[in-house]
Amino acid sequence: MNFEDWMLHRGLSKSSVDKYAGAIRGPISTWAIEHKLVAGPLISFNSEAAFREVALQIRTLEIFQQRDGKGRNMYSSALNKFTEYLAEGHGNDAATDIDAILEDEGLSTTERVDLVMSRIGQGAFRQKLLTYWQACAVTGYRDTGLLVASHIKPWRDCTSSERLNPYNGLLLTPNLDKAFDSGLVTFTKKGPIALSPLLTEPEKLGITPAMRVELTAQHEPFMSFHRDAVFRSH
């Protein structure tokens, strides 16, 4: 779901959506680029934490403060809305997660390496999923070089052992991985896919209501968490 659709779903008027989206995509991005705070448009951010840091710097710019004052805080509101939007992305902030691993004094060097590799979709976790699934768990697509090792229970909510547990993972095509990680799809206990009402035009992503996955009892605790805590049912 893009920023504009998210705001409409949250009940903002079309005029407000146009103003906030236009500000983020246009002037605020331009100011940030001109002052070398970012290398590209703000809409490219997918990490709330990283965006918050940049937004703090943007708010100190003289041109931002001048235009925000004249615009009755419209530009500040746009930054706030985009921050909220990113906060609902259910966490793709790998850099923050990796920093936390490296700073955890309770982990051995080997454990740190295993967890970092797992977080970036490589290492033992991916190997275990390739052994178990051998292809995309949903579509059967077999070019493993294009498949993503996706955690069912999100990384930020897992213990270290859960992060490496192969039953906490699905091997997915990139489109399904992104939708699943964002809570836009999930899977029922018996396997059929469930689509969030927030997933717009799923057919253009090749995602259909007929999709399913074959799960075991060992997968269910993780998938149950995903249905309850990650899936966007409304």
Coordinates of all heavy atoms in Angstrom, one line a residue, residues 126 130 134-136 139-148 171-174:
R126 N 18.6 -19.6 6.0 CA 18.2 -19.7 4.6 C 18.5 -21.2 4.2 O 17.7 -21.8 3.4 CB 19.0 -18.7 3.8 CG 18.7 -18.9 2.3 CD 19.4 -17.8 1.5 NE 19.2 -18.0 0.0 CZ 18.2 -17.7 -0.7 NH1 17.1 -17.1 -0.1 NH2 18.1 -18.0 -1.9
L130 N 15.8 -23.7 2.5 CA 16.0 -24.3 1.2 C 15.9 -25.8 1.3 O 15.3 -26.5 0.4 CB 17.4 -23.9 0.7 CG 17.5 -22.5 0.2 CD1 18.9 -22.1 -0.1 CD2 16.6 -22.3 -1.1
Q134 N 12.6 -26.4 -0.5 CA 13.2 -26.6 -1.9 C 12.6 -25.7 -3.0 O 13.2 -25.7 -4.1 CB 12.9 -28.1 -2.2 CG 13.6 -29.1 -1.2 CD 13.4 -30.5 -1.6 OE1 13.4 -30.9 -2.8 NE2 13.3 -31.4 -0.6
A135 N 11.6 -25.0 -2.8 CA 11.0 -24.1 -3.7 C 10.1 -23.1 -3.0 O 10.0 -23.2 -1.7 CB 10.1 -24.9 -4.8
C136 N 9.5 -22.2 -3.7 CA 8.6 -21.2 -3.0 C 7.5 -22.0 -2.3 O 6.9 -22.9 -2.9 CB 8.0 -20.3 -4.0 SG 6.7 -19.2 -3.3
T139 N 4.0 -20.9 -4.3 CA 3.9 -21.1 -5.7 C 4.6 -22.3 -6.3 O 4.3 -22.7 -7.4 CB 4.4 -19.8 -6.5 OG1 5.8 -19.7 -6.3 CG2 3.7 -18.5 -5.9
G140 N 5.6 -22.8 -5.6 CA 6.4 -23.9 -6.1 C 7.5 -23.4 -7.1 O 8.2 -24.2 -7.7
Y141 N 7.7 -22.1 -7.2 CA 8.8 -21.6 -8.1 C 10.1 -22.1 -7.5 O 10.4 -21.9 -6.4 CB 8.7 -20.0 -8.1 CG 9.7 -19.4 -9.0 CD1 9.5 -19.4 -10.4 CD2 10.8 -18.8 -8.5 CE1 10.4 -18.8 -11.2 CE2 11.8 -18.2 -9.3 CZ 11.6 -18.2 -10.7 OH 12.5 -17.6 -11.5
R142 N 11.0 -22.6 -8.5 CA 12.1 -23.4 -8.0 C 13.5 -22.7 -8.2 O 14.5 -23.2 -7.8 CB 12.1 -24.7 -8.8 CG 10.9 -25.5 -8.6 CD 11.1 -27.0 -9.1 NE 12.0 -27.7 -8.2 CZ 11.7 -28.3 -7.1 NH1 10.5 -28.3 -6.6 NH2 12.6 -29.0 -6.4
D143 N 13.5 -21.5 -8.8 CA 14.8 -20.8 -8.9 C 15.1 -20.2 -7.5 O 14.7 -19.1 -7.2 CB 14.8 -19.7 -10.0 CG 16.1 -19.1 -10.2 OD1 17.0 -19.3 -9.4 OD2 16.3 -18.4 -11.2
T144 N 15.9 -20.9 -6.7 CA 16.1 -20.5 -5.3 C 16.9 -19.2 -5.2 O 16.9 -18.6 -4.2 CB 16.8 -21.6 -4.5 OG1 18.0 -22.0 -5.2 CG2 15.9 -22.9 -4.4
G145 N 17.7 -18.9 -6.3 CA 18.4 -17.6 -6.3 C 17.6 -16.4 -6.2 O 18.0 -15.3 -5.7
L146 N 16.3 -16.6 -6.5 CA 15.3 -15.4 -6.5 C 14.4 -15.5 -5.3 O 13.6 -14.6 -5.1 CB 14.5 -15.4 -7.8 CG 15.3 -15.1 -9.1 CD1 14.3 -15.2 -10.3 CD2 16.0 -13.8 -9.0
L147 N 14.5 -16.5 -4.5 CA 13.6 -16.7 -3.3 C 14.2 -16.1 -2.1 O 15.4 -16.0 -1.9 CB 13.3 -18.2 -3.1 CG 12.7 -18.9 -4.3 CD1 12.4 -20.4 -4.0 CD2 11.4 -18.2 -4.7
V148 N 13.2 -15.6 -1.2 CA 13.6 -14.9 0.0 C 13.3 -15.8 1.2 O 12.2 -16.4 1.3 CB 12.8 -13.6 0.2 CG1 13.2 -12.9 1.4 CG2 13.0 -12.8 -1.1
L171 N 9.9 -20.0 2.5 CA 10.7 -19.6 1.3 C 9.7 -19.0 0.3 O 8.8 -19.7 -0.1 CB 11.4 -20.8 0.8 CG 12.7 -20.6 -0.1 CD1 13.7 -19.9 0.7 CD2 13.2 -21.9 -0.6
L172 N 9.9 -17.7 0.0 CA 8.9 -17.1 -0.8 C 9.5 -16.3 -2.0 O 10.6 -15.8 -1.9 CB 8.1 -16.1 0.1 CG 7.3 -16.6 1.2 CD1 6.8 -15.5 2.1 CD2 6.2 -17.5 0.8
T173 N 8.7 -16.1 -3.0 CA 9.0 -15.2 -4.1 C 9.0 -13.8 -3.5 O 8.4 -13.5 -2.5 CB 8.1 -15.2 -5.2 OG1 6.7 -15.0 -4.7 CG2 8.1 -16.6 -5.9
P174 N 9.8 -12.8 -4.1 CA 9.9 -11.5 -3.5 C 8.6 -10.8 -3.3 O 8.4 -10.1 -2.3 CB 10.8 -10.7 -4.5 CG 11.7 -11.8 -5.1 CD 10.7 -13.0 -5.2

